[in-house]
Amino acid sequence: MAEEDEQWEAFKRWWKQNGSSVLMGIAIVVLGIAGWQYWEAREASARAEARQGFDSVISTLQSDKETEERLSTMEYALDNLKDSQPDSPYTVFSAMVAASVYMEESRAEDAVEELEWALEQAGGQPLPRVIRLRLARAQLASGEAESAIATLEGLEDAGEFAPLFHELRGDAHHAAGNEDAAREAYQAARESHGEDVNDRLLEIKLSDLAVMEEG
C-alpha cells in the first residue's frame, strides 16, 4: 500500500510539473485534426462550387437561346466564377472555353482578354503551353502580330507542341513582315515534325516564301 501511495504522489508531482504541457499538446493535436477536417470540407465545397460554375458555363452554350443571349449568360456565369473561385482549374477551363466561343464568333479581342487571364491563373505545364498557343492565335487573328510573337517567345519549352509553336511563330513573323524569321520558324517546325511527317500546309507556306523571294 505504501508503494502505491508513493507512486501516486510521484505521479501528482510529475503532473504538476508537466500536466499543462501535456494538455497543450493534446489540444494542439485536437485542433490540428479539426482544422484539417475543416480545410478538407472547405476545399471540397470550393471544388463543388467551381465545378457547378463550369457546368453552368457549358450548359449555357448548349442552350437553344439566341447567340447574343447565350453569350451574355455565359459571360455572367464566368464573371461569377472568376469572383468566387479565381484559382480553380475549372475557372481557367471556363475562360478557355469562352475564348474558343469568342473566336468562333470572330471576337478575337475578347478571346485575347480571356486567354491572358487564364494564362495568369494557370498552374504547371502543359496547360500554360496550350493557353499560350491559343493566345498567340487570338492575338494574330486580332491583328496583333508582334504581341503574338512576344507571347510565343515567352514559352521556354514547347515540349510536344514544338511543331505547332514554331509554325505559329512563323505565321506571326510573316504577318509582321519578318520573312527571314518566318522562314527560320517554318524550318524549325519541319525539323520538329521529324522525317516521317510531311505537313503539306507547312510546305506550302515555305514555298510561298520562296516565291516571294524570287519575285
Side-chain angles (χ1 to χ4, degrees):
M1 192 70 177
E3 183 178 351
E4 292 180 357
D5 290 339
E6 291 177 2
Q7 291 177 344
W8 175 245
E9 289 299 325
F11 172 76
K12 287 195 294 184
R13 288 195 300 272
W14 178 87
W15 181 259
K16 185 175 180 180
Q17 295 174 356
N18 303 286
S20 60
S21 61
V22 171
L23 289 175
M24 180 64 71
I26 294 173
I28 290 173
V29 171
V30 171
L31 288 174
I33 294 174
W36 175 258
Q37 291 175 336
Y38 171 78
W39 181 84
E40 282 284 295
R42 185 172 180 180
E43 283 293 299
S45 176
R47 287 194 297 269
E49 182 180 348
R51 176 57 190 268
Q52 185 177 6
F54 176 76
D55 290 342
S56 178
V57 171
I58 299 301
S59 62
T60 296
L61 297 174
Q62 294 174 339
S63 69
D64 296 329
K65 298 178 182 178
E66 294 294 328
T67 300
E68 287 302 320
E69 186 177 359
R70 283 192 296 112
L71 289 178
S72 178
T73 307
M74 177 198 74
E75 290 164 356
Y76 178 79
L78 180 56
D79 286 343
N80 285 338
L81 192 53
K82 286 180 178 179
D83 289 338
S84 62
Q85 302 293 335
D87 298 328
S88 171
Y90 285 114
T91 310
V92 175
F93 293 146
S94 295
M96 293 173 69
V97 169
S100 296
V101 173
Y102 285 138
M103 289 295 287
E104 291 175 1
E105 297 295 327
S106 299
R107 293 171 55 176
E109 292 181 0
D110 291 325
V112 167
E113 183 177 344
E114 292 299 337
L115 290 167
E116 287 178 338
W117 184 90
L119 185 59
E120 291 178 358
Q121 301 296 323
Q125 302 289 11
L127 189 57
R129 294 171 179 165
V130 176
I131 296 175
R132 280 189 182 274
L133 285 168
R134 293 189 179 186
L135 174 57
R137 287 196 187 100
Q139 290 169 327
L140 194 55
S142 63
E144 302 175 15
E146 295 295 342
S147 295
I149 293 170
T151 295
L152 293 169
E153 288 179 347
L155 184 60
E156 295 181 0
D157 179 15
E160 65 272 29
F161 301 107
L164 294 174
F165 163 76
H166 290 302
E167 184 173 355
L168 186 54
R169 188 163 57 89
D171 293 343
H173 279 299
H174 180 55
N178 306 324
E179 306 305 341
D180 290 339
R183 184 185 309 97
E184 180 183 344
Y186 288 146
Q187 289 172 343
R190 177 197 279 167
E191 293 172 2
S192 298
H193 275 305
E195 297 180 357
D196 297 332
V197 177
N198 183 17
D199 188 328
R200 295 187 63 183
L201 180 57
L202 179 60
E203 295 303 321
I204 290 173
K205 292 177 181 179
L206 282 165
S207 296
D208 288 343
L209 286 178
V211 170
M212 290 177 62
E213 279 187 352
E214 293 174 0

